[in-house]
């Protein structure tokens, strides 16, 4: 059985710079700079200070900066955000904390 291709920034790893991913990336450590990917997962315990641009983004860790999501953003109960968000679809689970601005475009973004 073939698993979907996934990149991973492991726990205990700290990276900085412009990061571009195809497919899924899972961040479990610390990252700052700019993150661009198709599907980005910020795991519980991860700390990210970046501009994040993705089609789909799931956050369970701590994020500060700017977020631009083309399709769907989900904040898990352990998520802690201090940033600006631009997304057409936002799922906010009970317990998630968000401090910042959120814009949700009315017209659907082009695929």
């Amino acid at each position: 059985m073939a698993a979907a291709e996934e990149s991973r920034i492991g726990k205990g790893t700290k990276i900085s710079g412009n990061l571009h991913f195809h497919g899924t990336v899972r961040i479990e450590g610390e990252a700052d700079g700019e993150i661009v990917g198709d599907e980005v997962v910020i795991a519980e315990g991860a700390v990210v200070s970046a501009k994040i641009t993705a089609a789909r983004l799931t956050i369970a860790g701590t994020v500060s900066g700017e977020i631009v999501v083309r399709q769907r953003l989900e904040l898990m109960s352990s998520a802690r955000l201090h940033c600006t968000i631009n997304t057409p679809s936002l799922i906010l689970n009970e317990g998630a904390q968000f401090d910042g601005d959120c814009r949700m475009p009315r017209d659907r973004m082009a695929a």
Side-chain angles (χ1 to χ4, degrees):
M1 179 185 326
E5 188 174 328
E6 179 179 276
S7 297
R8 190 174 77 117
I9 307 300
K11 193 172 186 174
T13 302
K14 182 173 183 175
I15 58 170
S16 181
N18 295 330
L19 310 169
H20 295 263
F21 298 95
H22 290 287
T24 302
V25 61
R26 180 175 176 86
I27 299 174
E28 300 170 349
E30 295 181 45
D32 64 62
E34 182 177 0
I35 300 169
V36 178
D38 296 326
E39 182 165 358
V40 178
V41 177
I42 310 294
E44 187 170 358
V47 178
V48 176
S49 177
K51 176 179 182 183
I52 303 171
T53 305
R56 292 168 307 283
L57 175 61
T58 303
I59 301 174
T62 301
V63 176
S64 61
E66 180 183 350
I67 294 173
V68 178
V69 177
R70 294 182 302 277
Q71 294 175 7
R72 178 180 188 271
L73 170 61
E74 182 169 7
L75 306 182
M76 308 308 286
S77 62
S78 58
R80 303 293 178 259
L81 278 78
H82 184 79
C83 58
T84 60
I85 294 174
N86 188 324
T87 182
S89 176
L90 175 64
I91 296 96
L92 185 62
N93 287 285
E94 185 175 354
Q97 295 178 7
F98 167 63
D99 179 22
D101 295 320
C102 181
R103 294 180 191 262
M104 297 181 73
R106 289 178 189 237
D107 55 340
R108 293 191 175 262
M109 295 184 169

